[in-house]
Amino acid sequence: MTAATTATKRGAAAEAWALLFEFFTREKPRWAALASEFELSMSQAHALSLLAPDRPLTMSELAHALVCDASNVTGIVDRLEARGLIVRRPAEHDRRVKLLCVTDAGAELRERALQRLFEPPDEIARLSAADQRALRDVLRRALAR
Amino acid sequence: MTAATTATKRGAAAEAWALLFEFFTREKPRWAALASEFELSMSQAHALSLLAPDRPLTMSELAHALVCDASNVTGIVDRLEARGLIVRRPAEHDRRVKLLCVTDAGAELRERALQRLFEPPDEIARLSAADQRALRDVLRRALAR
DNA sequence: TATTGTTATACTCTATAACTATA
DNA sequence: TATAGTTATAGAGTATAACAATA
């Protein structure tokens, strides 16, 4: 019995949640494949996606955004920097702080990767226009803070 | 600019997809915390969730379901077996094949973990009943094969 | 010979704790 | 003293290739 069929007995919220979970499970291999197309690990891709060219982050900010310890970020950033996708720049106001800035090459690769990521998967693409709008509207309300 | 706001310009499908992506991103830390409540890694939890008591899998079937190489599964299964949650049993028809069977302790822990996982997150719980049904219905159509 | 699963190896991610440089 | 980031260390996940047992 799948999560979704079990959840059917517990009401719409539980079933919707179970269906979302199934959706995530189906998409995860696609994300891993997409990252490896660009020769990035999932963590590297996640980090790069957070580093908009106009919004450099510090090491600790990136650690917080990735929900992991700061010591991990050193390695992840090392690998991105070794590939020339980002650079560490000391902050002006406090030389302990490093600003992570995307290089031109990094911004270009980041943009191409995000374009691919934004392509909706078949599950969404094949919905009717009305269903696509309904999904968008409900998710907007769900994620509104 | 977030993925969702960028996607707004490209129509409902792209924005719905971006919102789903944001949803996954928000939920991931919750899943990791949930797994570690049971002292399981994400991979171990995923593996255990796939091993229903009435549906043992072989090593290769589990590798396929986890979308990873069979050699990884050896280690993941080793750790679950060391904790007494599952056992390897040689299949009757072919002694090369190992059937992964959940123990009583494993089934009990698995059931408790799945119950926790099935609890819908706040984002869904606080939707109106009509929105919950709408979300469920659209997702049913999206995931139908 | 072919297949199932394991072992060997190497790299990445992860956390904890100790450390360096700066504040 | 306190903070930002690094290094040291250890455990887990991942893939590739070589291997053993079985078919």
Side-chain angles (χ1 to χ4, degrees):
Chain A
M1 187 181 284
T2 67
T5 49
T6 302
T8 305
K9 303 169 186 163
R10 309 177 199 206
E15 190 187 347
W17 171 231
L19 287 163
L20 273 175
F21 193 83
E22 186 181 338
F23 207 144
F24 306 162
T25 304
R26 282 204 210 176
E27 290 306 314
K28 198 182 162 193
R30 185 181 162 234
W31 295 333
L34 202 157
S36 83
E37 256 181 55
F38 295 91
E39 294 183 276
L40 296 168
S41 71
M42 290 283 275
S43 295
Q44 287 166 16
H46 192 182
L48 189 59
S49 78
L50 294 167
L51 293 170
D54 59 339
R55 179 176 33 95
L57 299 178
T58 67
M59 296 292 286
S60 355
E61 285 168 346
L62 182 56
H64 183 258
L66 293 173
V67 195
C68 74
D69 191 85
S71 62
N72 304 330
V73 177
T74 299
I76 294 167
V77 164
D78 281 350
R79 287 165 207 119
L80 290 173
E81 193 170 30
R83 276 185 59 187
L85 301 175
I86 65 176
V87 290
R88 285 167 165 103
R89 275 205 330 225
E92 291 168 13
H93 65 292
D94 182 341
R95 289 192 333 216
R96 290 174 306 181
V97 175
K98 310 275 173 66
L99 282 179
L100 303 173
C101 302
V102 186
T103 63
D104 288 348
E108 188 272 335
L109 186 146
R110 175 177 181 275
E111 191 54 34
R112 279 192 294 128
L114 288 180
Q115 294 301 325
R116 290 291 319 277
L117 184 64
F118 289 163
E119 293 165 17
D122 280 352
E123 284 86 353
I124 291 183
R126 69 179 174 221
L127 287 173
S128 70
D131 272 351
Q132 290 174 351
R133 284 193 300 273
L135 181 59
R136 175 198 63 190
D137 294 343
V138 172
L139 289 173
R140 276 182 180 171
R141 288 192 282 276
L143 293 170
R145 60 206 70 260
Chain B
M1 190 181 281
T2 68
T5 49
T6 302
T8 306
K9 304 170 187 160
R10 309 177 199 206
E15 190 187 345
W17 171 231
L19 288 164
L20 273 175
F21 193 83
E22 187 181 337
F23 207 145
F24 306 161
T25 304
R26 282 204 209 176
E27 291 305 314
K28 197 182 163 195
R30 186 182 161 233
W31 296 332
L34 203 157
S36 82
E37 258 181 56
F38 296 90
E39 295 183 274
L40 295 168
S41 71
M42 292 282 274
S43 295
Q44 287 167 16
H46 192 182
L48 189 58
S49 78
L50 294 166
L51 292 170
D54 60 338
R55 180 178 28 97
L57 299 178
T58 67
M59 295 292 286
S60 0
E61 284 168 346
L62 182 55
H64 183 259
L66 292 174
V67 195
C68 75
D69 191 85
S71 63
N72 304 331
V73 178
T74 299
I76 293 167
V77 164
D78 281 349
R79 286 164 209 120
L80 290 173
E81 192 169 31
R83 277 186 58 186
L85 301 176
I86 64 175
V87 289
R88 287 167 164 100
R89 276 206 330 226
E92 290 168 13
H93 65 290
D94 182 341
R95 287 192 332 213
R96 289 175 305 180
V97 174
K98 310 275 174 66
L99 282 179
L100 303 173
C101 302
V102 187
T103 63
D104 289 347
E108 189 271 336
L109 186 146
R110 175 177 181 275
E111 191 54 34
R112 280 192 294 130
L114 289 179
Q115 293 302 324
R116 289 292 319 278
L117 184 63
F118 289 163
E119 292 166 17
D122 281 351
E123 284 85 353
I124 292 183
R126 71 180 173 221
L127 287 173
S128 71
D131 273 350
Q132 289 175 353
R133 285 193 300 273
L135 180 59
R136 176 199 63 192
D137 293 343
V138 172
L139 289 173
R140 275 181 179 169
R141 288 192 283 274
L143 294 170
R145 59 205 71 263

